[in-house]
Amino acid sequence: MNVRKDRSAGHQSSSARAAARARSGPLAGLANLVVVHPWRVVAAGLLFLALAGIIGGPVARLLQGGGFTDAGSESVLAAEKLRAATGINADYGVVALLRFHDDVSSGNATAEIATVSRTMSSDPIVVRVDGLATTHNPAFVSKDRQSTYLVASVRADNLAQAERGAERIRASLAFDPRVTIGGAGLANLEVERQVTADLAHAETLAFPILFILLLLIFRGPIAALLPLMVGGITIMGAFLGLRLVAFTTDLSIFALNLVTGLGLGLAIDYSLLVLSRYREESERLGHGGEAVGNTIRSAGRTVLFSSLTVTAAMASLLLFPQRFLYSMGFGGIAVTMVAAVIALTVLPAVLCLLGPRVDWLSFRRGSAVGAAAERGAWYRLAHAVMNRPAVFAVVTGALLIALGIPFLGIRFTSVDATVLPRTSPARVVADALNSEFPSHTTSPLRVVVDAPTRSASVAAELGAYGASLSGLREVSAVVPAQPRGDHLWEIDIIPASDPLTPASQSLVKAVRAASSPYPTQVGGQQAEFVDLQASLASHLPAAVLVVSMTTLLVIFAMTGSVLIPVKTLLMNVLSLSAAFGILVLVFQDGRLQGLLGYSSQGALDTSQPVLLFAVAFGLSTDYGVFLLSRIKEGHDAGLNTRESVARGMERTGRIVTAAAVLFCVAIGAFATSQVVFIKELGVGTAVAVLIDATIVRALLVPSLMAMLGEWNWWAPAPLRRLHARFGFKESDAAPLAA
């Protein structure tokens, strides 16, 4: 009897010490603030939402299209020289495609061409209009001689000016059914409008589906609405962040897609984690402040580490000079930070105020996610895997490697009119120029030569230089050198291949390597594509290093282990390679075109692997943190590694599966986009999340943990001391539920 009393007293003393540690942990101050002042926290959240809506709501009007070039690259510098010398921005020309029922040399066709040319010339942005009549170049006549085109050279300091001018020209010719207007300026405008429309469609599609799924998960409308509440505040808060950044630097409009999809997904992930833990705690302690406080100190720790890993992954995009990528980086950082803050403040405050009313109208009492049975399906699966760890590790690893093999054959393309639906006017013009006309006169390779322009000997030298260039492979024609202001000449090379093909890329390199009598710079669409790939390749190692080192440090701070962070990196690489391989199989090889509603470009957009690396790597670590946190919690409570893994999987299995499915709905809705590279982002991210939440988490993680056993938690003595002093410990969190 006395022994039982002593044991009981010891147990109570241990629980009291654990509770005391919980109340003094690093998240204790936040927990106390939320529990003591829930109304103030909610009021602050509503005020933030109002300010974000007022200031950040109009952010779309401040964002721009384009942004796929490196401002310091040779091709961009060449284009800037030509624009400064001539006042013409060659990248934003307006193209008018004219189709007739008879020969383009007929009287009616000639009169129509002249009328269209005058209409285009009347716009203030147009410097000159070129066509068959002005150049006598047969390349302006289609192979069947029933179509021709005009090219309006425009003066535009930026893309927005070019878009407005192109829109005016299209409006002035809208009455003529024989004319279709296209060109780079209109293509960018159509991409922006399509992306905006797709964003609204994705939101309309995702929100009701997410609510239904959340209703099934939480078995009640109040709990189901809370993650959507967090998602709404998160998205508006991220818009506010983009608006503030836009005051100091130009941002890409495509960042809105990432902010919406990632914001909604992360908000639901973090809300799911907090809500499920709150239900566990409320079943032990009852609804109220103590359950909320324990939730913040335990689940809050996981949300904190998760947000750090995702933020680091998105911050790596800031290292790239392309506006498209660094805008995604700013958007990703903003949305991750806001999602974490709202999930750790406003959501717990609302739970504190709701109390038992969180289960109002619930059609099944009790937790549908938390308080899982200790020996449920996930527990049994974990032990089944750990009983044959080598077999599962080898088979799972081989499967992921096999899925990733197609990535070795990846081909790249870039954003142009071909990313648009086939019915879009800019796409119609681009397709016609590529297939119906004899050469690529609208996309020449521009060689800018720094040489005196008032010298006959210089003209002769450049004539000989141009003649030597005409002998290169893949050259259809060379336009003789033309003076472009003082000390500047332009030589246009008409390629024999489409601008984004490997043959045209090889031509760029050959022209740059050719001997020239004067300094030269090579520009044009082909050169921009070559420079883009070179820029991404040169900045990628630094981005990978930032993400890798941050992940190692964050996972070490969470676990105190050296081996677990390294394993996390390796598993992320395997899941990413598998996702990339599937992306190649689908979009590059043209599979599922009918189901997904797209036309394959035969390649992936150059920026997509970089963007997907950041997003998918962050999310893979995100779900890993969810599981590792509960495994570490069990291990610190005295369980051995195998039991910790089984308990951790049992307690997070349903949560992470639900979170992954909901995230795939949130960002996978972009698979409905009419713009192929946005579709690639949605499908690629969804595939990466599903692979990580199923194959990696359910099979690879427990098998590797079982193989290493207690070695999972090894660290050198100096690092153990460092973690003991500065790292987060599970004793900082709430005690493990019995």
Side-chain angles (χ1 to χ4, degrees), residues 331-647:
I333 292 171
V335 83
T336 305
M337 294 175 63
V338 175
V341 170
I342 299 301
L344 292 181
T345 55
V346 177
L347 177 59
V350 171
L351 291 174
C352 200
L353 293 173
L354 285 175
R357 290 186 294 275
V358 72
D359 292 322
W360 183 63
L361 293 181
S362 175
F363 48 87
R364 177 182 169 184
R365 295 295 176 185
S367 173
V369 179
E374 292 298 333
R375 299 180 182 273
W378 288 100
Y379 181 92
R380 294 193 298 272
L381 173 62
H383 274 295
V385 171
M386 290 187 291
N387 287 338
R388 296 176 179 83
V391 173
F392 279 98
V394 170
V395 171
T396 303
L399 173 62
L400 294 175
I401 291 172
L403 289 173
I405 288 175
F407 185 61
L408 298 176
I410 191 171
R411 296 188 297 273
F412 293 110
T413 185
S414 189
V415 176
D416 60 9
T418 61
V419 305
L420 290 164
R422 290 190 180 276
T423 55
S424 113
R427 174 71 183 271
V428 169
V429 172
D431 288 346
L433 293 179
N434 289 334
S435 61
E436 300 176 21
F437 291 82
S439 61
H440 302 82
T441 54
T442 59
S443 54
L445 204 61
R446 295 184 174 88
V447 182
V448 180
V449 185
D450 285 299
T453 57
R454 301 181 183 277
S455 169
S457 61
V458 170
E461 287 181 291
L462 293 181
Y465 171 59
S468 69
L469 295 177
S470 66
L472 296 175
R473 294 182 59 185
E474 299 298 328
V475 172
S476 176
V478 175
V479 179
Q482 301 292 322
R484 298 289 186 248
D486 294 337
H487 300 281
L488 205 67
W489 297 73
E490 178 184 355
I491 301 174
D492 285 356
I493 300 174
I494 310 301
S497 304
D498 291 340
L500 304 182
T501 59
S504 289
Q505 297 172 52
S506 298
L507 177 59
V508 172
K509 296 172 184 176
V511 172
R512 287 176 171 173
S515 177
S516 169
Y518 297 97
T520 63
Q521 289 177 312
V522 181
Q525 187 179 3
Q526 302 88 338
E528 287 180 359
F529 185 46
V530 170
D531 291 343
L532 171 61
Q533 294 186 81
S535 176
L536 294 178
S538 65
H539 291 88
L540 184 59
V544 172
L545 180 63
V546 167
V547 174
S548 301
M549 292 304 298
T550 306
T551 301
L552 290 173
L553 291 173
V554 171
I555 301 298
F556 169 75
M558 186 181 77
T559 63
S561 165
V562 169
L563 297 181
I564 289 178
V566 173
K567 284 194 306 177
T568 300
L569 281 180
L570 294 176
M571 288 186 289
N572 284 358
V573 169
L574 287 175
S575 61
L576 275 175
S577 66
F580 286 152
I582 293 173
L583 212 56
V584 169
L585 287 173
V586 174
F587 289 99
Q588 180 172 299
D589 296 347
R591 293 178 172 85
L592 305 179
Q593 293 186 76
L595 177 64
L596 293 175
Y598 76 100
S599 298
S600 174
Q601 296 177 286
L604 297 182
D605 180 72
T606 308
S607 60
Q608 287 304 304
V610 175
L611 180 58
L612 281 173
F613 162 76
V615 175
F617 195 99
L619 294 175
S620 296
T621 310
D622 179 49
Y623 291 120
V625 166
F626 283 16
L627 175 57
L628 287 172
S629 179
R630 295 308 289 260
I631 293 174
K632 183 67 164 57
E633 187 174 338
H635 190 265
D636 281 0
L639 302 177
N640 61 40
T641 296
R642 284 182 173 242
E643 190 64 17
S644 299
V645 171
R647 291 270 194 103

